Amino acid sequence: MGFRRFFLSFLLSAYFLFDVSTSSSSSLACNSNDLKALTGLSNCLGSLIAGWNSVASPDCCNWTGVTCDSSIVSGRRVVGLELGSRKLKGKICESLADLDQGIPKDLANCTSLHHLSFHGNYLSGSLPDGVFQLQNLRELHIQDNRFSGPLKNGIANLSNLVKLDISSNLFSVILPDAFGSLTRLEQFSASSNLFIGRLPRSVVNSPSLQMLVLKNNSLSGLINLSCSAMNLSQSWF
Ligand SMILES: *[C@@H]1O[C@H](CO)[C@@H](O)[C@H](O)[C@H]1NC(C)=O
Ligand SMILES: *[C@@H]1O[C@H](CO)[C@@H](O)[C@H](O)[C@H]1NC(C)=O
Ligand SMILES: *[C@@H]1O[C@H](CO)[C@@H](O)[C@H](O)[C@H]1NC(C)=O
Ligand SMILES: *[C@@H]1O[C@H](CO)[C@@H](O)[C@H](O)[C@H]1NC(C)=O
Ligand SMILES: *[C@@H]1O[C@H](CO)[C@@H](O)[C@H](O)[C@H]1NC(C)=O
Ligand SMILES: *[C@@H]1O[C@H](CO)[C@@H](O)[C@H](O)[C@H]1NC(C)=O
């Protein structure tokens, strides 16, 4: 009788131990789609990201610069990526959009991401389309890199953006007239790029914009802008 009771309680505690350990690993670790996305991102960058190692730490929430929320439903979601000044080189999967078999649209799956920061690296190529699917993004900081090409219309997708800093890159041609849907945008810095032509109407007419920094481009018509007409509190044209 004593043995039976012992055996039963042994079974029960083994069950609970197993249950707790499996549920904690699935609930406390990062969401598996986010893990795959970050692994893909680090694989396609030309340089290793220090502090990102899926073998040493399979929980991407533990990786340097990664912030996760505390949801426990299907793993913790990655909500912030802070990879500023990390000497990263190469392209953020420039050709992701074309290569949709093999390499996935890594970043696009981090749907909970609201803060993305890659400033102060040596990243080049165009901004990958995956970024334009991060519809919860509130802050995008990619200043001080070597991104080039146009800023694409896809920026219109980021309707929750509050801060956008693309300054000190090699972005060129005209700024897209795609800011009308960015109804929360308060700060936009695009200084020291190669932008030409007129500032788009949708920037001029933005009711939410409070800070606009455009100096050191080849934009025209800026002389007619006025802070009070645009409701800006800070500007550098
Ligand atoms: C992205 O999400 C889709 C749908 O949930 C999934 O099929 C795909 O494998 C995910 N990709 C990555 C890299 O996690
Ligand atoms: C993640 O970090 C937590 C605490 O910071 C630690 O207890 C846990 O072991 C780490 N997990 C992995 C897989 O490194
Ligand atoms: C905008 O977001 C939608 C929904 O995620 C997506 O289907 C579309 O491709 C995005 N547009 C661009 C230009 O990325
Ligand atoms: C102006 O921008 C170019 C890149 O477009 C940069 O090389 C240069 O240093 C910038 N000049 C100033 C004064 O910021
Ligand atoms: C101007 O900006 C302030 C916040 O800085 C806002 O409360 C106000 O509604 C704006 N005015 C217009 C006309 O958009
Ligand atoms: C800009 O201002 C100048 C001088 O005040 C004026 O002649 C010109 O018509 C204005 N241009 C536009 C597009 O408003």
Side-chain angles (χ1 to χ4, degrees), residues 151 162-166 175 179 185-191 195 199 203 209-214:
L151 181 67
V162 177
K163 297 182 185 173
L164 174 61
D165 194 342
I166 61 168
L175 277 163
F179 288 77
L185 189 65
E186 293 175 4
Q187 302 184 4
F188 177 39
S189 304
S191 59
F195 288 117
L199 191 62
V203 174
L209 211 53
Q210 294 167 20
M211 192 187 94
L212 179 62
V213 187
L214 297 169

Side-chain angles (χ1 to χ4, degrees), residues 79-112:
V79 294
L81 269 188
E82 168 57 66
L83 291 170
S85 306
R86 303 283 297 274
K87 302 196 166 111
L88 302 178
K89 285 189 204 125
K91 304 181 179 182
I92 307 185
C93 316
E94 185 197 11
S95 49
L96 272 185
D98 314 324
L99 293 174
D100 39 16
Q101 298 112 27
I103 305 178
K105 294 190 179 184
D106 303 296
L107 277 173
N109 266 17
C110 296
T111 46
S112 295

Side-chain angles (χ1 to χ4, degrees), residues 20-31:
V20 165
S21 72
T22 47
S23 67
S24 71
S25 68
S26 62
S27 62
L28 293 179
C30 73
N31 173 281

Side-chain angles (χ1 to χ4, degrees), residues 129 132-133 135 153-154 157:
D129 287 341
F132 302 129
Q133 288 171 28
Q135 290 177 351
N153 276 312
N157 257 8

